[in-house]
Amino acid sequence: MDTISAKNFQQNFDVYMRQVAEKTKPLVVTAQNPDHSVVLMSKRDFDANEETMYLLSNSELMARIKHGDAQVAAGKTKRHQLRNLGIDADM
């Protein structure tokens, strides 16, 4: 993760905003007071992290996923042919 000063960030705001959005790599913006430092990330990455945290915090869902993983590991799965439901695969 790259790190820059708040002053450098302010002076090159547009460059760093574009860089973070395009590279989807967070950027640490440091302040003189370490408690005021921030991490800048793309909206797409933020949304993905929020979704992940939501899923991980749902104990019932996680139990179902673990149960499914155990079934796969034990070979208790079946292959099914999916039928065409009229949904465009490019959506």
Side-chain angles (χ1 to χ4, degrees), residues 35-68:
D35 290 337
H36 295 163
S37 295
V38 297
V39 175
L40 181 69
M41 65 179 5
S42 71
K43 174 80 164 73
R44 179 177 49 241
D45 288 347
F46 176 78
D47 290 343
N49 284 342
E50 288 292 301
E51 180 71 13
T52 298
M53 295 307 296
Y54 169 76
L55 295 173
L56 290 173
S57 69
N58 184 327
S59 58
E60 183 178 325
L61 177 60
M62 292 308 298
R64 291 176 66 189
I65 290 171
K66 288 177 185 177
H67 177 72

Side-chain angles (χ1 to χ4, degrees), residues 63-86:
R64 291 176 66 189
I65 290 171
K66 288 177 185 177
H67 177 72
D69 284 345
Q71 286 180 315
V72 170
K76 297 180 179 181
T77 59
K78 294 180 188 177
R79 182 174 292 271
H80 294 274
Q81 180 68 37
L82 297 178
R83 56 191 162 127
N84 185 349
L85 299 176

Side-chain angles (χ1 to χ4, degrees), residues 14-49:
D14 291 337
V15 172
Y16 288 117
M17 291 289 287
R18 193 174 323 107
Q19 176 183 326
V20 168
E22 290 173 1
K23 292 185 177 181
T24 64
K25 182 178 176 185
L27 178 67
V28 177
V29 181
T30 60
Q32 287 182 344
N33 178 343
D35 290 337
H36 295 163
S37 295
V38 297
V39 175
L40 181 69
M41 65 179 5
S42 71
K43 174 80 164 73
R44 179 177 49 241
D45 288 347
F46 176 78
D47 290 343
N49 284 342

